[in-house]
Amino acid sequence: RSLSDIMNQTFLAIGINLSSQRSSQKYPFGRGKEVFFWSFIASLFVIGGSGILSVVEGMNRLFSPKNIFNGNVIFIVLSLAFIFETISLINLLKTRKQKRLNKYYDGDIRITRNPALFIVFAEDVSAIIEIIVVFISIYASIYLGLLYLDGLAAIFVGLIMIIIGLYIAKQSKEQLIGIGLEPYEIENIRKIILSIPQVNQIIDIKSVYFGVNHVILGIDINFKDKLTTDEIEHI
């Protein structure tokens, strides 16, 4: 689980770094979608590295229970992990609060289409839940003799990670294919355009994300008659 988390963060760091590079002749719209691609790779590690391996390990322990030694050491490690994951979650929530100060941010964490934020948030929340479950299961295994609970806890952890990984993969796939703005965002754009007196009607609005905070809009507008070319360009 820990190794998988390290790999996930590494992939996200690579994606964020590459996506921040400036546009070039080869990439005229920039490389913003890099973060979507590397998030998809991270989701595969969440499913395979954390999820499936935890389920397999849990099944092995369920059918072949083993005594747990060095319980105090395990409890100390779990306690430290709980503290670190909680600190990470608090820092993430602070980042989210700061983004609310941005006038282009409406309070919804998905408005930026930033998969890195969701991955870190999901991993922190799930890790805290998993640590609590594992702590209880190990305590019950050592002091109550319920050895099978250790295996059930590992299966529980694995299933949570598989579900999270599948959701992240789905989101990353949509972003790679070319997902657009939400309907309410398109409606806000429509209202702004229609507020311009010289606009007769909006024929079509299309959008696509080319990165975390970069959207390309294609707007087909019908202007009112008798406008000159200069007036249209000014509008």
Side-chain angles (χ1 to χ4, degrees):
R1 173 71 159 85
S2 299
L3 178 60
S4 176
D5 285 348
I6 292 174
M7 294 301 298
N8 293 340
Q9 305 307 318
T10 301
F11 290 139
L12 292 178
I14 293 173
I16 292 172
N17 180 60
L18 293 176
S19 65
S20 62
Q21 294 184 9
R22 295 182 178 180
S23 58
S24 62
Q25 185 174 1
K26 185 176 181 180
Y27 301 102
F29 295 108
R31 302 178 64 174
K33 286 193 173 185
E34 287 275 6
V35 69
F36 301 151
F37 170 77
W38 290 103
S39 297
F40 182 78
I41 299 298
S43 72
L44 300 181
F45 268 78
V46 172
I47 297 171
S50 297
I52 295 177
L53 290 181
S54 293
V55 171
V56 171
E57 181 65 20
M59 295 294 290
N60 291 334
R61 295 190 180 189
L62 187 63
F63 293 109
S64 300
K66 297 179 182 179
N67 291 321
I68 299 176
F69 302 99
N70 298 323
N72 292 333
V73 175
I74 295 175
F75 291 141
I76 292 174
V77 172
L78 289 175
S79 299
L80 291 174
F82 182 86
I83 293 173
F84 294 145
E85 293 291 352
T86 302
I87 292 174
S88 175
L89 180 60
I90 291 173
N91 289 333
L92 178 64
L93 293 177
K94 286 182 178 179
T95 301
R96 183 174 184 268
K97 184 177 180 180
Q98 290 174 354
K99 285 183 176 292
R100 285 178 178 173
L101 301 177
N102 189 317
K103 64 180 180 179
Y104 298 111
Y105 186 82
D106 74 344
D108 182 357
I109 202 168
R110 289 184 59 204
I111 190 68
T112 60
R113 294 289 177 188
N114 192 342
L117 286 178
F118 176 78
I119 292 175
V120 175
F121 177 79
E123 286 190 343
D124 287 346
V125 173
S126 63
I128 291 173
I129 296 173
E130 293 162 9
I131 290 170
I132 295 173
V133 171
V134 172
F135 193 101
I136 295 173
S137 68
I138 291 179
Y139 181 89
S141 298
I142 295 176
Y143 297 103
L144 301 180
L146 304 176
L147 299 180
Y148 66 90
L149 287 181
D150 185 36
L152 288 178
I155 294 173
F156 174 78
V157 169
L159 291 177
I160 288 181
M161 297 311 299
I162 289 174
I163 292 173
I164 292 175
L166 290 174
Y167 182 80
I168 295 172
K170 177 179 177 294
Q171 295 294 317
S172 299
K173 172 194 169 186
E174 291 177 348
Q175 292 161 340
L176 283 171
I177 292 174
I179 195 168
L181 293 171
E182 296 287 353
Y184 75 90
E185 295 170 322
I186 294 293
E187 184 59 29
N188 288 338
I189 294 171
R190 186 181 298 274
K191 289 179 181 178
I192 293 172
I193 297 173
L194 290 177
S195 67
I196 301 173
Q198 295 88 348
V199 172
N200 188 33
Q201 65 174 331
I202 300 173
I203 299 174
D204 193 17
I205 298 179
K206 287 185 171 63
S207 64
V208 62
Y209 273 90
F210 263 78
V212 172
N213 295 311
H214 299 278
V215 180
I216 291 181
L217 284 173
I219 307 174
D220 192 1
I221 298 175
N222 176 252
F223 291 96
K224 291 184 178 180
D225 297 336
K226 299 181 180 180
L227 292 175
T228 66
T229 303
D230 290 338
E231 289 174 329
I232 292 176
E233 288 179 353
H234 176 71
I235 296 168

